[in-house]
Amino acid sequence: MIIVMKAGAPQEAIEEVERLIRETGYTPHKLAGEMKTVIAAVGDGRDKSRLESMESLAYVESVVPILKPFKLCSREVKKEDSIIDVEGVKIGGKHMVVMAGPCSVEGEEQIIGIAKDVKAAGAQILRGGAFKPRTSPYSFQGMEEEGLKLLQKAKKETGLPIVTEVMNPRDLDLIYKYSDILQIGARNMQNFSLLKLVGQTRKPVLLKRGLANTIQEWLMSAEYILSEGNRDVILCERGIRTFETATRNTLDLSAVPVLKELTHLPVIIDPSHGTGYWQYVASMSKASVACGADGLMIEVHNRPEAAYSDGAQSLKPKKFHRLMEELRPIALAVGRTI
Ligand code: PEP
Ligand code: MN
């Protein structure tokens, strides 16, 4: 249920409502809007009528049910778009944010060189995997802590905040120290214990869509993070499994307008994993900008032919630079900047 407070409701009235929600066995989640405060009461549906009775309180405007199974990430609870601040970079606002970098951190020269290149092209966040979710146990698994240290070095050199993947709850504390956004990969989208743990932190989380998950399942996963107290979730569409084999995955761009209707969370697109081939990355990036995404995550490598992972879908810095130039007029045409 959502308890909508009247405009100008005093703090004591809000606290009284929160107390009553707890007394009914629900958890209150306060969302302070520009005009009104809204308190979402999340629970198992028992004693709902007691919540409804709160409409009789002086400072309560209305008590309305949340119809969707996802609550805190729903537009029903929060109408305005959420804007997530990552070290001063705002994700979800008018300005589109591009995260770029190699699939895997492979060495100092590689990551620092690419970081400088993507920054010069206009990227605002550096991506790079140190713990890699590989299909084969014999494939390169990532540089682990050594890789995290190199990402930190690249951040020091360029000022770019870092997004990197956390695969195992055991590594969370370590990755937390070195990263600015915690990436949950497609394969872990429904690792609920990992979602709860990152939900208990106060670092933004980039939640990639699972390989074969519906939008509703994806939002339920986001709900796991929000319900633990972390409101800073960025959704990332990265392609889903279909019968098509011409591309690595099928990039579901229709997820963008659907998500914009269902949730206030920012949505970014990863056309690199979405298509699997560098040749298709530019077109799908342009389409992502046009269809209302809040940003992009693009794999860039200085030597894709020698990359330890995902070389085939990585852009060379020069091509990435050109793409950024080509995206600008498209962003302007849809009322954004990039
Ligand atoms: C990645 O970003 O390198 C990655 C492994 O992505 P995904 O989880 O979408 O496959
Ligand atoms: Mn990759």
Side-chain angles (χ1 to χ4, degrees):
M1 303 289 266
I2 309 169
I3 290 93
V4 184
M5 303 299 291
K6 288 182 180 160
Q11 188 55 29
E12 306 85 74
I14 293 169
E15 280 166 17
E16 167 74 353
V17 167
E18 287 178 316
R19 198 183 56 72
L20 284 168
I21 291 172
R22 271 192 212 102
E23 200 182 280
T24 315
Y26 285 67
T27 308
H29 295 269
K30 191 172 77 176
L31 297 119
E34 262 173 40
M35 297 287 291
K36 292 173 194 168
T37 295
V38 161
I39 305 164
V42 181
D44 58 12
R46 265 178 284 178
D47 290 332
K48 232 165 48 189
S49 54
R50 281 185 68 187
L51 293 175
E52 282 159 357
S53 306
M54 288 168 65
E55 215 164 47
S56 62
L57 291 170
Y59 283 104
V60 172
E61 186 177 281
S62 59
V63 178
V64 283
I66 312 172
L67 300 172
K68 295 282 190 296
F70 42 89
K71 312 289 179 193
L72 301 174
C73 63
S74 166
R75 276 267 186 223
E76 291 177 85
V77 167
K78 185 168 181 264
K79 300 272 177 281
E80 319 91 68
D81 289 339
S82 285
I83 297 179
I84 294 166
D85 192 311
V86 182
E87 306 243 304
V89 177
K90 298 206 164 45
I91 304 171
K94 194 167 176 272
H95 185 73
M96 297 182 64
V97 172
V98 177
M99 309 178 184
C103 180
S104 301
V105 179
E106 298 169 5
E108 180 165 343
E109 218 179 298
Q110 176 242 21
I111 191 66
I112 291 179
I114 296 173
K116 285 180 176 164
D117 283 337
V118 299
K119 185 184 177 170
Q124 289 182 285
I125 291 176
L126 177 65
R127 65 145 287 144
F131 291 85
K132 295 304 302 177
R134 305 306 300 279
T135 301
S136 164
Y138 307 120
S139 302
F140 175 62
Q141 302 285 306
M143 290 183 75
E144 306 191 341
E145 186 165 8
E146 176 75 12
L148 295 172
K149 287 186 176 151
L150 294 180
L151 283 168
Q152 266 303 311
K153 234 176 180 172
K155 179 182 176 182
K156 257 206 185 112
E157 291 263 342
T158 59
L160 293 177
I162 302 298
V163 55
T164 195
E165 178 165 352
V166 44
M167 285 204 301
N168 192 322
R170 193 184 55 206
D171 304 319
L172 178 59
D173 287 346
L174 179 71
I175 295 168
Y176 190 88
K177 279 198 294 192
Y178 291 103
S179 68
D180 302 296
I181 303 176
L182 301 166
Q183 177 172 327
I184 301 293
R187 291 153 192 83
N188 268 321
M189 191 204 85
Q190 287 190 314
N191 182 341
F192 300 118
S193 42
L194 181 60
L195 298 177
K196 282 188 189 173
L197 278 181
V198 296
Q200 286 155 15
T201 74
R202 286 297 168 270
K203 280 232 166 122
V205 176
L206 180 93
L207 180 63
K208 289 193 141 195
R209 182 178 184 175
L211 301 149
N213 285 110
T214 64
I215 289 173
Q216 179 157 316
E217 287 164 343
W218 190 9
L219 289 173
M220 293 310 293
S221 290
E223 192 73 15
Y224 263 93
I225 302 169
L226 269 73
S227 64
E228 290 292 331
N230 189 346
R231 302 277 167 81
D232 292 341
V233 174
I234 304 150
L235 299 168
C236 178
E237 161 64 37
R238 47 76 74 208
I240 48 174
R241 280 254 164 115
T242 67
F243 52 83
E244 184 54 73
T245 55
T247 45
R248 180 179 180 183
N249 292 293
T250 296
L251 186 62
D252 180 14
L253 286 184
S254 64
V256 176
V258 173
L259 287 168
K260 286 287 158 194
E261 188 173 304
L262 295 176
T263 179
H264 51 84
L265 298 174
V267 183
I268 73 161
I269 300 289
D270 170 353
S272 307
H273 293 87
T275 62
Y277 298 95
W278 70 265
Q279 293 91 328
Y280 309 139
V281 168
S283 311
M284 297 320 284
S285 300
K286 291 172 192 171
S288 304
V289 172
C291 76
D294 297 302
L296 290 161
M297 174 178 258
I298 299 178
E299 286 187 341
V300 176
H301 201 288
N302 51 347
R303 287 184 67 212
E305 66 284 1
Y308 291 3
S309 59
D310 288 350
Q313 66 192 34
S314 300
L315 291 182
K316 285 187 181 163
K318 225 186 194 156
K319 285 211 170 66
F320 174 68
H321 206 297
R322 193 178 321 141
L323 171 60
M324 289 294 288
E325 298 298 323
E326 288 169 359
L327 294 177
R328 292 207 171 93
I330 304 171
L332 282 179
V334 293
R336 312 280 292 256
T337 52
I338 191 164

